[in-house]
Amino acid sequence: MGVTVCVGGQWGDEGKGKVVDLLSESAQMVIRSQGGNNAGHTVVTGGRTFKFNLVPSGILHPSTVCVIGNGVVLDPKVLLAEVEQLQSAGADLSNLVISERAHMIMPYHPVLDRLEEAARGDDRLGTTFRGVGPAYSDKVRRIGFRVGDLQKLRFLEKKLGFVLPLKNDVLVKLYGAPPFTVEGILAEYTEYGRRLERFIRDPFPLIQGAIARGERVILEGAQGTMLDLDLGTYPYVTSSYPSSGGALAGAGIGPSQVTSTVGVFKAYTTRVGYGPFPTELEGELAEYLRERGAEYGTTTGRARRVGWFDVPVARYAVAVNGIDALAITKLDVLDDLETVRICTGYRSKGRLEDHPMANISHLKHLEPVYEEHPGWRSSTRQARRWEELPAAARSYLERLAELSGARIELVSVGPERDETVWCGGAG
Ligand code: GDP
């Protein structure tokens, strides 16, 4: 019981959707606390695939209250499409709550996202063009619009009268793009407000009430630690805080209320978009892992870059998030390899580094130091207990846990819910 924080330990796409879905089976509440509709989760259950951008994946458990927290930015149009899609797939959304403090993506944000990326030229970040970064920037500039504003239309109109000229100035004068009108945005967002009204609330009493009653509350992270605005590979990061500290701020929960922090890691590493990736593989092996692991983005379909498991990254993630349990996913993707490698450190200008450095130009020119382990060359997909995993796979996992500094709680060996090995702390 108590609060479990679930964070991505790498560059996102670690399989948090499945892990949160498993953890939320016994949870009364799941809170998505940060990020926007640039993130995506996939949950496979009973042969059906559900894709989530904003709605917490706990929604598939009918009695679980699912909260979109104050740290999220959301595009109401995208959220409504997701709500409709989930409803038509038979999901019950009566337990969905959207924080009135969550910020909204406005129609000019995706336009500015695209224009700003183009202006960066070779230094582009590889954003998803959903307007998430520009919306977070406006939140920090204190010219953002919050979900609660949809319930105060006169206030929304007055604020647009002040904010929109600032936005239009940039669009028209800097980029030669067409301007937006107050009337157009007001009409569009009034309609969103009408359709979202039944979900909009202040979740503070709900969340603190659940904690006070000793219920199980899961914080569902989006993206991963190495994409954290402060702790990741800046500037090739997301515009929010995927680390556990960000998750708490984005849900309105204090650190002493947390019982456990689960770090989700793939048994190898992937990264989407640009930026340093010390253990990146190229060529045939990369292609093989990408195909076998279906490493294409949930939101954009972009091919992910792939590489070996990176212990300096994992150890760093364990420390900065306070991770006490590991969930290792996609072990099955490595099933047929003759050998597997673990990066234990980086060599840089004759020195051995054991954690990712702040200076990304250093990270780009590192030589990873690898340990090689024998592969297990047999399927792990039928394993349900630790002892049922091949001995070589167990050794590999034990070594990952030992080097990363946390125990293994579960190993995922396939996308389905039941393709899971609960280990209760191996390694
Ligand atoms: P998230 O954003 O961290 O939730 O990750 P995604 O949902 O984008 O990516 C995870 C993908 O891997 C999804 O398609 C899952 O169905 C799939 N997946 C999750 N766990 C496993 C696993 O153990 N093995 C395999 N083969 N696929 C998995």
Side-chain angles (χ1 to χ4, degrees), residues 18 55 104 207-208 210 212 215 229 252 288 301 370 374 378 411:
K18 171 175 167 175
V55 175
M104 288 189 292
I207 295 173
Q208 289 300 327
E215 293 180 358
L229 183 57
Y288 169 81
Y370 288 113
S378 59
V411 180

Side-chain angles (χ1 to χ4, degrees), residues 4-9 16 19 23 216 219 260-265 321-327 407 409-410:
T4 300
V5 183
C6 185
V7 291
K16 294 177 296 296
V19 174
L23 296 175
R216 190 157 157 79
L219 295 199
S260 168
T261 302
V262 178
V264 187
F265 294 82
N321 292 299
I323 290 169
D324 53 16
L326 305 174
R407 67 197 167 83
E409 182 72 26
L410 70 89

Side-chain angles (χ1 to χ4, degrees), residues 100-139:
E100 56 192 6
R101 288 184 169 89
H103 276 247
M104 288 189 292
I105 292 174
M106 303 300 283
Y108 40 80
H109 287 136
V111 179
L112 286 167
D113 202 347
R114 204 169 272 282
L115 292 168
E116 283 169 17
E117 268 288 85
R120 281 173 177 268
D122 286 346
D123 290 324
R124 64 193 180 278
L125 302 172
T127 82
T128 55
F129 302 133
R130 303 292 159 108
V132 173
Y136 272 119
S137 306
D138 282 357
K139 172 178 173 174

Side-chain angles (χ1 to χ4, degrees), residues 8 12-18 39-44 49 51 221-223 264 266 268 292-298 304 328-333 381 411-416 419:
D13 311 313
E14 296 92 347
K16 294 177 296 296
K18 171 175 167 175
H41 288 318
T42 313
V43 177
V44 183
T49 300
K51 289 193 186 295
Q223 289 111 5
V264 187
K266 272 179 198 165
Y268 49 101
R292 174 121 188 196
E295 297 297 355
Y296 296 90
T298 313
R304 295 175 185 149
I328 308 286
T329 65
K330 298 189 118 169
L331 182 71
D332 54 298
V333 174
R381 287 195 71 164
V411 180
S412 173
V413 291
E416 285 274 355
E419 289 175 311

